[in-house]
Amino acid sequence: MKSVLIVDDSRVSRKMIRNLIAHSGFEVVGEAIDGREGLELYVKLSPDVVVMDITIPEMNGLDSLMKIKEHDPDARVILIAEEGQDQEKEEARKAGAVALVTKPYSDEDILYAIRMC
């Protein structure tokens, strides 16, 4: 069973993703509301996968991704981005995101990305 850390400043989005993941056979090991907390929880919990919104406070998803990759070059981070955030998506690819999911997304988009990690 893969362990997943969710990082999103939207309580509604975190709940939707948590429920989806939990009902699909994965374990949600933590949730963070910003990039800084996401980094701290990654270091503490060592999840198999991180599902993170790219637009979050404190430390955005791209900066948090880079810090996580500094800590663990093998980290598997999935970033969620808005339609039109093409520059951010390209930077995320270069920084080592294993997958990018574009909003609005389907449940299967998220599950597929996790399964492929």
Side-chain angles (χ1 to χ4, degrees), residues 76-109:
R76 292 171 286 186
V77 180
I78 298 164
L79 285 179
I80 300 172
E82 296 282 341
E83 184 71 41
Q85 288 184 303
D86 298 331
Q87 181 177 349
E88 291 88 345
K89 289 179 188 177
E90 184 58 31
E91 289 176 29
R93 281 187 193 93
K94 290 178 184 175
V98 294
L100 294 164
V101 176
T102 302
K103 292 179 187 178
Y105 55 81
S106 70
D107 289 352
E108 192 52 42
D109 293 336

Side-chain angles (χ1 to χ4, degrees), residues 16-36:
M16 287 175 27
I17 294 169
R18 178 181 60 242
N19 290 339
L20 171 65
I21 290 170
H23 289 101
S24 299
F26 303 111
E27 177 186 14
V28 177
V29 294
E31 295 180 30
I33 62 170
D34 61 48
R36 189 170 319 285

Side-chain angles (χ1 to χ4, degrees), residues 9-116:
D9 60 323
S10 166
R11 185 176 353 157
V12 172
S13 293
R14 285 194 317 273
K15 181 178 179 182
M16 287 175 27
I17 294 169
R18 178 181 60 242
N19 290 339
L20 171 65
I21 290 170
H23 289 101
S24 299
F26 303 111
E27 177 186 14
V28 177
V29 294
E31 295 180 30
I33 62 170
D34 61 48
R36 189 170 319 285
E37 184 181 19
L39 172 61
E40 291 168 3
L41 285 177
Y42 183 86
V43 171
K44 179 180 177 183
L45 301 172
S46 298
D48 296 319
V49 182
V50 179
V51 176
M52 181 167 26
D53 194 350
I54 202 165
T55 307
I56 49 179
E58 292 296 317
M59 180 188 302
N60 69 36
L62 186 57
D63 291 339
S64 186
L65 163 66
M66 290 188 282
K67 293 289 187 184
I68 288 170
K69 294 295 269 185
E70 283 176 20
H71 171 76
D72 178 4
D74 296 324
R76 292 171 286 186
V77 180
I78 298 164
L79 285 179
I80 300 172
E82 296 282 341
E83 184 71 41
Q85 288 184 303
D86 298 331
Q87 181 177 349
E88 291 88 345
K89 289 179 188 177
E90 184 58 31
E91 289 176 29
R93 281 187 193 93
K94 290 178 184 175
V98 294
L100 294 164
V101 176
T102 302
K103 292 179 187 178
Y105 55 81
S106 70
D107 289 352
E108 192 52 42
D109 293 336
I110 297 288
L111 294 176
Y112 179 81
I114 293 171
R115 288 182 188 120
M116 293 299 104

